[in-house]
Amino acid sequence: MLLLSYLGWRILSKPWLETSFLALLPRSEQQPQLAEVIQRQQYLLNRKVVWLIGASDPEQAVAEAKQLHQRLQQTGLFAKLTLTVPTQQFAQRYQQLFNYRYQLLTPELSTLLANDPKALIAQNLGLLNSPLGQLEALSLAQDPLLLFSRYQRQQLPLALNLVQEVPVIQAQQRAWAILQSELHDGHLQLDKLEALQQLWQSTQQTMRRNGGELLATGLPLFTAAGAASAKQEISTVGLGSSIGILLLLWWTFHSVRPLLLSSLAIASGLGAALVVSVWVFGKVHILTLVFGASLIGVADDYAQHLLCDSLGERQWQPYKSLRAILPALSFGLISNLLSYAGLGFSPFPGLQEVALFSAVGLLVAWLTVVMVFPVLLTGFNFSHQPTILRLTQLWEQRWPQYLLQQWRKLSLLALAFISTGIYQLSPQDDVRLLQSPDQQLAAMADNIKQLLPVLPDSQFFWVSGQTMSDWFQNEARLVAALRTLKQQGALSDFQSISQYWPDRQKQQDNYQLLKQHWYANGQLASYMQDLGFAKASIKKELQQFAAAQAHYLSLEQWLANSDEAKQALWLGCQQQGCQSIISLNAVKQIPALAALSQLPGVVWVDQVQSVSELFARYRARASLLLAMAFTLATCCLCLKFGWRQALAVISVPSAAVLMALACLGWGQQLFSLFNLFALLLVLGIGIDYGLFFLEAGERRANTSLGVTLSALTTLLAFGLLALSKTQIVHAFGFTVTVGIITSLLCAPLVGFRKLG
Amino acid sequence: MAKWLLLAVLLCVPLLPCANEVNLQAIEQRLMNAPITQGNFSQRKFLKVLHNPLLSSGRFIYHQQQGVLWQTQVPVASMLLLNDNRLISTEGEQDLPVAVAKVFKALLGANFQALAPEFTMVGQVGNGQQPWQLNLTPKTDLLKKMFANIQLNGDSELRQLTLVEVNGNRTELLFSALEHPTVLTSAQLADFARLSHP
């Protein structure tokens, strides 16, 4: 114990709680290179939060945004806050690319030049004659065809209106100022997440009180909301089950000792589980703790069984009692450990944690009961008749009698209920449903997506090629297809490098297009003459064009002058080739985009989809695991007790599992991988109850009290889990609750006929 | 004695007619002040790099609430749609500061209240039907970077608008065939509706 405390102190002094939901996902089964890309993309998304500050007019919105900016800065949560767009700075940076204006045509312009070169004249006249075409008119002297002016406009970040350099959009009867922020770390600590959650809520309240509105979106907010609700649930589940269990025990034993001893068993179990999990995994996920909280109920089984064995004994000898029930206790432990071992084989790190956490917790709780309880229970006296005993006797004697009398009718009814229920069961593996993100946040994220494309979607394209030019051609082909899909409304926008940077060949092609249609055939001279340029200007322009023939802008140079969002798209050239990302905004038709992965060198990355598929596959595997656990347990029991008794014991969890499935079907509940793991627990607990009764012999009264107490405590723990707002946790709780109740109803049948 | 003299001068100042101070109210009273104005425009752009001015003409509609619809017909058809918050053209959304669009709308509507915070205004108002003239000098940094000054000429209507840029380029606008319908046509309404869609 001392060793454990010391280790605990050493290990838990470091940050040990994991709250990111992504950490629950298995490491990508795909190629490591792609896994790296996904991780990188997620790291970017995990840090970004976008705030939209809404007010009745733009000035007000900007003023509010500046205040918010200050407030966010003071929190120290953010590594970067971007409110103003340094247009001037961008313009200066892009100005460095001016020398390459004949090579850097926008894709639209090079298409126009190839198809209808003279249409450029009309376009330019339209631009120049606009009463507000001052900027174009200004660049005319340097850039008579307005080539670079077009390129620059395409590149400027966010085609939005700037008010005092702050981007402002107009929508839904409000002006919205945009504030972009980046957190320090992709995986925030719990206290930081709490701070973020509180900051978001309080700023929104302040803004609304002043008649404004605040919208925000970003993965960190979802994580924060998830962590806040999980934390609240842990407290509810933990507190609720602790209070319930304490009351139940006091009411039964009229003594503090069982209460303290049960707490000791549970506390040492949980403590050891936490320490070992952190030691093995480095961090424990918050979801593990939620599941772990339910361990309280199971760990209690052993304590209750031993305590209740003392019922009615004047001179109770703990060691003798322990010897009598040790086989049942040990078999119970082994069957539970077997079911947890099943969890441990799943590739999901979260479930491995749950398995280890629960297995260690149970083992230590069992050890505490077996080794420590007899010492501390010396002189313990439980000779009064607790009220609950009357109930348990009724349940243990009358209930099986009733069942046996009515068995034809009841089994028909049960058969009908179970078969129709299971028939209605429909598996659901969509990870979005399982995660059940905060409704309000999800609605807001959709709203913001409609307003502006600041945050890229989680889906993206990964483009690669053997050589630089292979890569460029692959990407250009994809970009052309995406442009068509964008016009068809399959997505609102996308960002790629090849839109802005043509490769060496394309740069030469662009130059040749201009030469062929404008500079070599006298078109440029007549265009400039018509506009009213001086002869000297025309001559100078022609000279500059001729001098620029060999110019080539390398990708490195281009990236150096670009902004961060574009730089993040380039993944570089390695031995395997060159690769980049194309990020997408407001994707509406996933199948249409996914179909583009047929193009050479293009990989469609949809983590949500692939995780959902993975869930489905492992749901199938887990079903197999459950069947295997059943077979394994039956075989074990057969060896020890013979097939008749083994069948009697195993019928308890069998009925429980079938009933749980039927109730899931009837209740139209979510049925996923996680319910199957709950069924594994039901199997373990059901075997426990069956075994306790099988081994009870003449002590059925004590056993029934012990089983009832442990079932009630388990129900207190799991029943409360069913109240969870997180779908996975709810499904887990619901399944176990139905399973336990059914086990409780079936268990007294075991060994009943032997007596009566 | 000097004190008395100073006091007398100070007291008299408000009474003395100031050469540059302009009676905006007098101009406002002369203007039609209709919520909708439409008509023809002809534009001459004098660019320093070009020998000849760029000539264009077309139709425009000004609506007090909705904004301005500017349709160039000659030499090429193009369109500009703007209000206090947005600027949309044939080429798509513009990256000009929205403040410029706001000023352009206020200029077309001769909305002195909206112009007052942005410009120092001086000018002359004649008596009776005599035309008036206003000269605007930017006060804010953003506008100072773009415009040296802006001139407005008119009588019961705004007749001429001249934008002189810091770099020496100049835009002259002449308005004619002005009328004041009470409602917008459905086509015009549809155009303006584009300003409120994302």
Side-chain angles (χ1 to χ4, degrees), chain A residues 58 127-132 134 138 141 156 161 170 531-532 534, chain B residues 43 45 49-51 54 70 75-76 85-86 91 95-96 165 167:
Chain A
L127 286 170
L128 290 170
N129 278 309
S130 161
L132 298 179
Q134 279 85 2
L138 197 58
L156 279 178
N161 291 313
Q170 199 75 21
L531 274 180
Chain B
Q43 178 183 265
K45 272 202 177 204
V49 287
L50 305 182
H51 289 316
L54 294 171
W70 191 268
V76 288
N85 306 308
R86 279 182 91 176
E91 300 282 304
D95 48 5
L96 260 186
E165 286 166 55
N167 53 55

PDB file of all heavy atoms in Angstrom, chain A residues 58 127-132 134 138 141 156 161 170 531-532 534, chain B residues 43 45 49-51 54 70 75-76 85-86 91 95-96 165 167:
ATOM      1  N   PRO A  58     -20.845  47.951 -38.730  1.00  0.00           N
ATOM      2  CA  PRO A  58     -19.450  47.487 -38.779  1.00  0.00           C
ATOM      3  C   PRO A  58     -18.544  48.141 -37.732  1.00  0.00           C
ATOM      4  O   PRO A  58     -17.726  47.453 -37.123  1.00  0.00           O
ATOM      5  CB  PRO A  58     -18.998  47.871 -40.186  1.00  0.00           C
ATOM      6  CG  PRO A  58     -20.244  47.987 -40.980  1.00  0.00           C
ATOM      7  CD  PRO A  58     -21.305  48.428 -40.044  1.00  0.00           C
ATOM      8  N   LEU A 127     -12.728  47.117 -65.753  1.00  0.00           N
ATOM      9  CA  LEU A 127     -12.033  47.416 -64.501  1.00  0.00           C
ATOM     10  C   LEU A 127     -11.617  48.877 -64.431  1.00  0.00           C
ATOM     11  O   LEU A 127     -11.807  49.551 -63.420  1.00  0.00           O
ATOM     12  CB  LEU A 127     -10.784  46.539 -64.381  1.00  0.00           C
ATOM     13  CG  LEU A 127     -11.008  45.072 -64.045  1.00  0.00           C
ATOM     14  CD1 LEU A 127      -9.706  44.299 -64.205  1.00  0.00           C
ATOM     15  CD2 LEU A 127     -11.504  44.954 -62.604  1.00  0.00           C
ATOM     16  N   LEU A 128     -11.043  49.368 -65.535  1.00  0.00           N
ATOM     17  CA  LEU A 128     -10.490  50.728 -65.516  1.00  0.00           C
ATOM     18  C   LEU A 128     -11.586  51.774 -65.458  1.00  0.00           C
ATOM     19  O   LEU A 128     -11.408  52.838 -64.890  1.00  0.00           O
ATOM     20  CB  LEU A 128      -9.631  50.950 -66.767  1.00  0.00           C
ATOM     21  CG  LEU A 128      -8.322  50.168 -66.787  1.00  0.00           C
ATOM     22  CD1 LEU A 128      -7.670  50.251 -68.160  1.00  0.00           C
ATOM     23  CD2 LEU A 128      -7.379  50.706 -65.717  1.00  0.00           C
ATOM     24  N   ASN A 129     -12.746  51.486 -66.064  1.00  0.00           N
ATOM     25  CA  ASN A 129     -13.802  52.485 -66.109  1.00  0.00           C
ATOM     26  C   ASN A 129     -14.694  52.486 -64.884  1.00  0.00           C
ATOM     27  O   ASN A 129     -15.574  53.330 -64.764  1.00  0.00           O
ATOM     28  CB  ASN A 129     -14.661  52.269 -67.362  1.00  0.00           C
ATOM     29  CG  ASN A 129     -14.002  52.914 -68.575  1.00  0.00           C
ATOM     30  OD1 ASN A 129     -13.622  54.078 -68.529  1.00  0.00           O
ATOM     31  ND2 ASN A 129     -13.824  52.144 -69.630  1.00  0.00           N
ATOM     32  N   SER A 130     -14.479  51.557 -63.974  1.00  0.00           N
ATOM     33  CA  SER A 130     -15.271  51.584 -62.749  1.00  0.00           C
ATOM     34  C   SER A 130     -14.967  52.887 -62.016  1.00  0.00           C
ATOM     35  O   SER A 130     -13.814  53.304 -61.930  1.00  0.00           O
ATOM     36  CB  SER A 130     -14.900  50.388 -61.870  1.00  0.00           C
ATOM     37  OG  SER A 130     -15.319  50.642 -60.551  1.00  0.00           O
ATOM     38  N   PRO A 131     -16.000  53.576 -61.505  1.00  0.00           N
ATOM     39  CA  PRO A 131     -15.718  54.827 -60.795  1.00  0.00           C
ATOM     40  C   PRO A 131     -14.827  54.593 -59.581  1.00  0.00           C
ATOM     41  O   PRO A 131     -14.206  55.519 -59.074  1.00  0.00           O
ATOM     42  CB  PRO A 131     -17.115  55.312 -60.379  1.00  0.00           C
ATOM     43  CG  PRO A 131     -17.987  54.106 -60.440  1.00  0.00           C
ATOM     44  CD  PRO A 131     -17.406  53.232 -61.507  1.00  0.00           C
ATOM     45  N   LEU A 132     -14.790  53.368 -59.117  1.00  0.00           N
ATOM     46  CA  LEU A 132     -13.922  53.052 -57.983  1.00  0.00           C
ATOM     47  C   LEU A 132     -12.746  52.167 -58.409  1.00  0.00           C
ATOM     48  O   LEU A 132     -12.206  51.409 -57.616  1.00  0.00           O
ATOM     49  CB  LEU A 132     -14.735  52.376 -56.874  1.00  0.00           C
ATOM     50  CG  LEU A 132     -15.853  53.252 -56.310  1.00  0.00           C
ATOM     51  CD1 LEU A 132     -16.629  52.514 -55.241  1.00  0.00           C
ATOM     52  CD2 LEU A 132     -15.303  54.556 -55.740  1.00  0.00           C
ATOM     53  N   GLN A 134      -9.771  52.863 -58.877  1.00  0.00           N
ATOM     54  CA  GLN A 134      -8.542  53.645 -58.657  1.00  0.00           C
ATOM     55  C   GLN A 134      -7.300  52.768 -58.559  1.00  0.00           C
ATOM     56  O   GLN A 134      -6.246  53.125 -59.073  1.00  0.00           O
ATOM     57  CB  GLN A 134      -8.679  54.501 -57.389  1.00  0.00           C
ATOM     58  CG  GLN A 134      -9.446  55.783 -57.578  1.00  0.00           C
ATOM     59  CD  GLN A 134     -10.943  55.571 -57.456  1.00  0.00           C
ATOM     60  OE1 GLN A 134     -11.410  54.474 -57.204  1.00  0.00           O
ATOM     61  NE2 GLN A 134     -11.712  56.635 -57.660  1.00  0.00           N
ATOM     62  N   LEU A 138      -4.119  52.802 -61.031  1.00  0.00           N
ATOM     63  CA  LEU A 138      -2.802  53.107 -60.494  1.00  0.00           C
ATOM     64  C   LEU A 138      -1.754  52.110 -60.990  1.00  0.00           C
ATOM     65  O   LEU A 138      -0.616  52.482 -61.293  1.00  0.00           O
ATOM     66  CB  LEU A 138      -2.878  53.063 -58.966  1.00  0.00           C
ATOM     67  CG  LEU A 138      -1.753  53.733 -58.222  1.00  0.00           C
ATOM     68  CD1 LEU A 138      -1.674  55.187 -58.641  1.00  0.00           C
ATOM     69  CD2 LEU A 138      -2.017  53.629 -56.729  1.00  0.00           C
ATOM     70  N   ALA A 141       0.231  51.829 -65.097  1.00  0.00           N
ATOM     71  CA  ALA A 141       1.512  52.312 -65.599  1.00  0.00           C
ATOM     72  C   ALA A 141       2.559  51.202 -65.602  1.00  0.00           C
ATOM     73  O   ALA A 141       3.328  51.065 -66.550  1.00  0.00           O
ATOM     74  CB  ALA A 141       1.995  53.488 -64.754  1.00  0.00           C
ATOM     75  N   LEU A 156      -4.906  37.758 -52.187  1.00  0.00           N
ATOM     76  CA  LEU A 156      -5.125  38.447 -50.920  1.00  0.00           C
ATOM     77  C   LEU A 156      -6.056  37.632 -50.041  1.00  0.00           C
ATOM     78  O   LEU A 156      -7.023  37.066 -50.508  1.00  0.00           O
ATOM     79  CB  LEU A 156      -5.697  39.842 -51.169  1.00  0.00           C
ATOM     80  CG  LEU A 156      -4.651  40.871 -51.531  1.00  0.00           C
ATOM     81  CD1 LEU A 156      -5.288  42.212 -51.809  1.00  0.00           C
ATOM     82  CD2 LEU A 156      -3.619  41.017 -50.420  1.00  0.00           C
ATOM     83  N   ASN A 161     -14.577  42.789 -46.617  1.00  0.00           N
ATOM     84  CA  ASN A 161     -14.420  44.218 -46.430  1.00  0.00           C
ATOM     85  C   ASN A 161     -13.613  44.470 -45.172  1.00  0.00           C
ATOM     86  O   ASN A 161     -13.784  43.803 -44.172  1.00  0.00           O
ATOM     87  CB  ASN A 161     -15.793  44.846 -46.287  1.00  0.00           C
ATOM     88  CG  ASN A 161     -16.532  44.796 -47.587  1.00  0.00           C
ATOM     89  OD1 ASN A 161     -15.978  45.141 -48.625  1.00  0.00           O
ATOM     90  ND2 ASN A 161     -17.766  44.334 -47.541  1.00  0.00           N
ATOM     91  N   GLN A 170     -20.998  40.944 -43.837  1.00  0.00           N
ATOM     92  CA  GLN A 170     -22.359  41.388 -43.591  1.00  0.00           C
ATOM     93  C   GLN A 170     -23.273  40.205 -43.839  1.00  0.00           C
ATOM     94  O   GLN A 170     -23.292  39.669 -44.941  1.00  0.00           O
ATOM     95  CB  GLN A 170     -22.666  42.521 -44.579  1.00  0.00           C
ATOM     96  CG  GLN A 170     -23.811  43.381 -44.201  1.00  0.00           C
ATOM     97  CD  GLN A 170     -23.450  44.321 -43.071  1.00  0.00           C
ATOM     98  OE1 GLN A 170     -22.283  44.577 -42.848  1.00  0.00           O
ATOM     99  NE2 GLN A 170     -24.445  44.817 -42.351  1.00  0.00           N
ATOM    100  N   LEU A 531      -5.545  52.868 -75.672  1.00  0.00           N
ATOM    101  CA  LEU A 531      -5.790  53.430 -74.343  1.00  0.00           C
ATOM    102  C   LEU A 531      -5.212  54.825 -74.202  1.00  0.00           C
ATOM    103  O   LEU A 531      -5.698  55.619 -73.412  1.00  0.00           O
ATOM    104  CB  LEU A 531      -5.182  52.524 -73.263  1.00  0.00           C
ATOM    105  CG  LEU A 531      -6.026  51.358 -72.767  1.00  0.00           C
ATOM    106  CD1 LEU A 531      -5.265  50.571 -71.707  1.00  0.00           C
ATOM    107  CD2 LEU A 531      -7.352  51.831 -72.181  1.00  0.00           C
ATOM    108  N   GLY A 532      -4.140  55.115 -74.973  1.00  0.00           N
ATOM    109  CA  GLY A 532      -3.536  56.441 -74.913  1.00  0.00           C
ATOM    110  C   GLY A 532      -2.173  56.462 -74.266  1.00  0.00           C
ATOM    111  O   GLY A 532      -1.736  57.488 -73.751  1.00  0.00           O
ATOM    112  N   ALA A 534       1.889  56.515 -74.141  1.00  0.00           N
ATOM    113  CA  ALA A 534       2.925  57.140 -74.973  1.00  0.00           C
ATOM    114  C   ALA A 534       3.728  56.038 -75.665  1.00  0.00           C
ATOM    115  O   ALA A 534       3.809  54.916 -75.158  1.00  0.00           O
ATOM    116  CB  ALA A 534       3.852  57.987 -74.102  1.00  0.00           C
TER     117      ALA A 534
ATOM    118  N   GLN B  43     -18.629  59.624 -67.872  1.00  0.00           N
ATOM    119  CA  GLN B  43     -17.432  59.682 -67.029  1.00  0.00           C
ATOM    120  C   GLN B  43     -16.190  59.919 -67.876  1.00  0.00           C
ATOM    121  O   GLN B  43     -16.039  59.359 -68.961  1.00  0.00           O
ATOM    122  CB  GLN B  43     -17.295  58.364 -66.266  1.00  0.00           C
ATOM    123  CG  GLN B  43     -16.049  58.309 -65.405  1.00  0.00           C
ATOM    124  CD  GLN B  43     -15.891  56.958 -64.714  1.00  0.00           C
ATOM    125  OE1 GLN B  43     -16.291  56.767 -63.595  1.00  0.00           O
ATOM    126  NE2 GLN B  43     -15.309  56.015 -65.429  1.00  0.00           N
ATOM    127  N   LYS B  45     -12.068  59.758 -67.302  1.00  0.00           N
ATOM    128  CA  LYS B  45     -10.972  59.466 -66.365  1.00  0.00           C
ATOM    129  C   LYS B  45      -9.683  59.980 -66.969  1.00  0.00           C
ATOM    130  O   LYS B  45      -9.290  59.555 -68.061  1.00  0.00           O
ATOM    131  CB  LYS B  45     -10.872  57.961 -66.138  1.00  0.00           C
ATOM    132  CG  LYS B  45     -11.747  57.483 -65.027  1.00  0.00           C
ATOM    133  CD  LYS B  45     -11.244  56.170 -64.473  1.00  0.00           C
ATOM    134  CE  LYS B  45     -12.131  55.799 -63.298  1.00  0.00           C
ATOM    135  NZ  LYS B  45     -11.475  54.917 -62.362  1.00  0.00           N
ATOM    136  N   VAL B  49      -0.740  58.334 -66.950  1.00  0.00           N
ATOM    137  CA  VAL B  49       0.042  57.588 -67.938  1.00  0.00           C
ATOM    138  C   VAL B  49      -0.562  57.646 -69.338  1.00  0.00           C
ATOM    139  O   VAL B  49       0.071  57.232 -70.290  1.00  0.00           O
ATOM    140  CB  VAL B  49       0.203  56.105 -67.538  1.00  0.00           C
ATOM    141  CG1 VAL B  49       1.170  55.979 -66.401  1.00  0.00           C
ATOM    142  CG2 VAL B  49      -1.138  55.487 -67.219  1.00  0.00           C
ATOM    143  N   LEU B  50      -1.796  58.120 -69.434  1.00  0.00           N
ATOM    144  CA  LEU B  50      -2.461  58.111 -70.741  1.00  0.00           C
ATOM    145  C   LEU B  50      -2.607  59.522 -71.304  1.00  0.00           C
ATOM    146  O   LEU B  50      -2.888  60.469 -70.575  1.00  0.00           O
ATOM    147  CB  LEU B  50      -3.844  57.462 -70.622  1.00  0.00           C
ATOM    148  CG  LEU B  50      -3.895  56.045 -70.034  1.00  0.00           C
ATOM    149  CD1 LEU B  50      -5.324  55.528 -70.039  1.00  0.00           C
ATOM    150  CD2 LEU B  50      -2.978  55.101 -70.804  1.00  0.00           C
ATOM    151  N   HIS B  51      -2.439  59.613 -72.630  1.00  0.00           N
ATOM    152  CA  HIS B  51      -2.615  60.910 -73.291  1.00  0.00           C
ATOM    153  C   HIS B  51      -4.058  61.366 -73.227  1.00  0.00           C
ATOM    154  O   HIS B  51      -4.345  62.514 -72.957  1.00  0.00           O
ATOM    155  CB  HIS B  51      -2.233  60.796 -74.787  1.00  0.00           C
ATOM    156  CG  HIS B  51      -0.778  60.639 -74.989  1.00  0.00           C
ATOM    157  ND1 HIS B  51       0.138  61.380 -74.304  1.00  0.00           N
ATOM    158  CD2 HIS B  51      -0.081  59.821 -75.821  1.00  0.00           C
ATOM    159  CE1 HIS B  51       1.350  61.029 -74.682  1.00  0.00           C
ATOM    160  NE2 HIS B  51       1.244  60.079 -75.607  1.00  0.00           N
ATOM    161  N   LEU B  54     -10.072  58.316 -70.428  1.00  0.00           N
ATOM    162  CA  LEU B  54     -10.913  57.137 -70.670  1.00  0.00           C
ATOM    163  C   LEU B  54     -12.358  57.596 -70.570  1.00  0.00           C
ATOM    164  O   LEU B  54     -12.756  58.185 -69.570  1.00  0.00           O
ATOM    165  CB  LEU B  54     -10.654  56.066 -69.616  1.00  0.00           C
ATOM    166  CG  LEU B  54      -9.283  55.406 -69.588  1.00  0.00           C
ATOM    167  CD1 LEU B  54      -9.146  54.535 -68.341  1.00  0.00           C
ATOM    168  CD2 LEU B  54      -9.090  54.564 -70.839  1.00  0.00           C
ATOM    169  N   TRP B  70     -24.601  50.778 -60.402  1.00  0.00           N
ATOM    170  CA  TRP B  70     -23.869  51.566 -61.400  1.00  0.00           C
ATOM    171  C   TRP B  70     -23.643  50.686 -62.619  1.00  0.00           C
ATOM    172  O   TRP B  70     -22.942  49.685 -62.547  1.00  0.00           O
ATOM    173  CB  TRP B  70     -22.527  51.978 -60.786  1.00  0.00           C
ATOM    174  CG  TRP B  70     -21.768  53.004 -61.569  1.00  0.00           C
ATOM    175  CD1 TRP B  70     -20.826  52.764 -62.522  1.00  0.00           C
ATOM    176  CD2 TRP B  70     -21.876  54.414 -61.447  1.00  0.00           C
ATOM    177  NE1 TRP B  70     -20.339  53.938 -63.011  1.00  0.00           N
ATOM    178  CE2 TRP B  70     -20.971  54.990 -62.367  1.00  0.00           C
ATOM    179  CE3 TRP B  70     -22.663  55.270 -60.663  1.00  0.00           C
ATOM    180  CZ2 TRP B  70     -20.809  56.350 -62.512  1.00  0.00           C
ATOM    181  CZ3 TRP B  70     -22.500  56.628 -60.807  1.00  0.00           C
ATOM    182  CH2 TRP B  70     -21.578  57.164 -61.728  1.00  0.00           C
ATOM    183  N   PRO B  75     -17.669  51.984 -72.825  1.00  0.00           N
ATOM    184  CA  PRO B  75     -17.369  51.171 -74.017  1.00  0.00           C
ATOM    185  C   PRO B  75     -17.682  49.677 -73.817  1.00  0.00           C
ATOM    186  O   PRO B  75     -17.898  48.985 -74.803  1.00  0.00           O
ATOM    187  CB  PRO B  75     -15.864  51.368 -74.182  1.00  0.00           C
ATOM    188  CG  PRO B  75     -15.362  51.597 -72.801  1.00  0.00           C
ATOM    189  CD  PRO B  75     -16.451  52.331 -72.088  1.00  0.00           C
ATOM    190  N   VAL B  76     -17.661  49.171 -72.594  1.00  0.00           N
ATOM    191  CA  VAL B  76     -18.046  47.780 -72.375  1.00  0.00           C
ATOM    192  C   VAL B  76     -19.042  47.750 -71.224  1.00  0.00           C
ATOM    193  O   VAL B  76     -18.983  48.582 -70.324  1.00  0.00           O
ATOM    194  CB  VAL B  76     -16.846  46.870 -72.019  1.00  0.00           C
ATOM    195  CG1 VAL B  76     -15.960  46.632 -73.207  1.00  0.00           C
ATOM    196  CG2 VAL B  76     -16.072  47.431 -70.849  1.00  0.00           C
ATOM    197  N   ASN B  85     -21.851  48.700 -46.704  1.00  0.00           N
ATOM    198  CA  ASN B  85     -21.064  47.583 -46.192  1.00  0.00           C
ATOM    199  C   ASN B  85     -20.411  46.724 -47.254  1.00  0.00           C
ATOM    200  O   ASN B  85     -19.545  45.920 -46.938  1.00  0.00           O
ATOM    201  CB  ASN B  85     -21.961  46.674 -45.346  1.00  0.00           C
ATOM    202  CG  ASN B  85     -22.662  47.432 -44.271  1.00  0.00           C
ATOM    203  OD1 ASN B  85     -22.028  48.147 -43.516  1.00  0.00           O
ATOM    204  ND2 ASN B  85     -23.975  47.320 -44.225  1.00  0.00           N
ATOM    205  N   ARG B  86     -20.879  46.842 -48.472  1.00  0.00           N
ATOM    206  CA  ARG B  86     -20.362  45.914 -49.485  1.00  0.00           C
ATOM    207  C   ARG B  86     -20.160  46.572 -50.815  1.00  0.00           C
ATOM    208  O   ARG B  86     -20.732  47.616 -51.122  1.00  0.00           O
ATOM    209  CB  ARG B  86     -21.327  44.750 -49.669  1.00  0.00           C
ATOM    210  CG  ARG B  86     -21.175  43.697 -48.638  1.00  0.00           C
ATOM    211  CD  ARG B  86     -22.116  42.581 -48.913  1.00  0.00           C
ATOM    212  NE  ARG B  86     -21.500  41.555 -49.754  1.00  0.00           N
ATOM    213  CZ  ARG B  86     -22.134  40.427 -50.062  1.00  0.00           C
ATOM    214  NH1 ARG B  86     -23.358  40.228 -49.654  1.00  0.00           N
ATOM    215  NH2 ARG B  86     -21.542  39.521 -50.798  1.00  0.00           N
ATOM    216  N   GLU B  91     -16.513  41.713 -61.653  1.00  0.00           N
ATOM    217  CA  GLU B  91     -15.327  40.914 -61.361  1.00  0.00           C
ATOM    218  C   GLU B  91     -15.442  40.169 -60.029  1.00  0.00           C
ATOM    219  O   GLU B  91     -14.506  39.543 -59.584  1.00  0.00           O
ATOM    220  CB  GLU B  91     -14.096  41.820 -61.282  1.00  0.00           C
ATOM    221  CG  GLU B  91     -13.810  42.586 -62.547  1.00  0.00           C
ATOM    222  CD  GLU B  91     -13.156  41.697 -63.587  1.00  0.00           C
ATOM    223  OE1 GLU B  91     -12.116  41.117 -63.276  1.00  0.00           O
ATOM    224  OE2 GLU B  91     -13.709  41.582 -64.690  1.00  0.00           O
ATOM    225  N   ASP B  95     -11.774  44.143 -53.302  1.00  0.00           N
ATOM    226  CA  ASP B  95     -10.981  44.210 -52.074  1.00  0.00           C
ATOM    227  C   ASP B  95     -10.680  45.648 -51.670  1.00  0.00           C
ATOM    228  O   ASP B  95      -9.772  45.916 -50.918  1.00  0.00           O
ATOM    229  CB  ASP B  95      -9.696  43.390 -52.208  1.00  0.00           C
ATOM    230  CG  ASP B  95      -8.963  43.690 -53.489  1.00  0.00           C
ATOM    231  OD1 ASP B  95      -9.411  44.603 -54.207  1.00  0.00           O
ATOM    232  OD2 ASP B  95      -7.969  43.013 -53.776  1.00  0.00           O
ATOM    233  N   LEU B  96     -11.475  46.580 -52.203  1.00  0.00           N
ATOM    234  CA  LEU B  96     -11.333  47.972 -51.778  1.00  0.00           C
ATOM    235  C   LEU B  96     -11.890  48.127 -50.365  1.00  0.00           C
ATOM    236  O   LEU B  96     -12.834  47.444 -50.005  1.00  0.00           O
ATOM    237  CB  LEU B  96     -12.193  48.855 -52.681  1.00  0.00           C
ATOM    238  CG  LEU B  96     -11.535  49.616 -53.815  1.00  0.00           C
ATOM    239  CD1 LEU B  96     -12.572  50.513 -54.455  1.00  0.00           C
ATOM    240  CD2 LEU B  96     -10.363  50.431 -53.323  1.00  0.00           C
ATOM    241  N   GLU B 165      -7.328  62.272 -57.295  1.00  0.00           N
ATOM    242  CA  GLU B 165      -6.530  61.361 -56.476  1.00  0.00           C
ATOM    243  C   GLU B 165      -5.197  61.969 -56.107  1.00  0.00           C
ATOM    244  O   GLU B 165      -4.712  62.881 -56.774  1.00  0.00           O
ATOM    245  CB  GLU B 165      -6.299  60.045 -57.237  1.00  0.00           C
ATOM    246  CG  GLU B 165      -7.529  59.178 -57.304  1.00  0.00           C
ATOM    247  CD  GLU B 165      -7.378  58.070 -58.314  1.00  0.00           C
ATOM    248  OE1 GLU B 165      -6.394  57.309 -58.218  1.00  0.00           O
ATOM    249  OE2 GLU B 165      -8.230  57.974 -59.212  1.00  0.00           O
ATOM    250  N   ASN B 167      -2.347  60.716 -56.480  1.00  0.00           N
ATOM    251  CA  ASN B 167      -1.335  60.465 -57.505  1.00  0.00           C
ATOM    252  C   ASN B 167      -1.543  61.301 -58.771  1.00  0.00           C
ATOM    253  O   ASN B 167      -0.816  61.147 -59.738  1.00  0.00           O
ATOM    254  CB  ASN B 167      -1.334  58.987 -57.858  1.00  0.00           C
ATOM    255  CG  ASN B 167      -2.731  58.519 -58.224  1.00  0.00           C
ATOM    256  OD1 ASN B 167      -3.380  59.076 -59.101  1.00  0.00           O
ATOM    257  ND2 ASN B 167      -3.216  57.506 -57.524  1.00  0.00           N
TER     258      ASN B 167
END
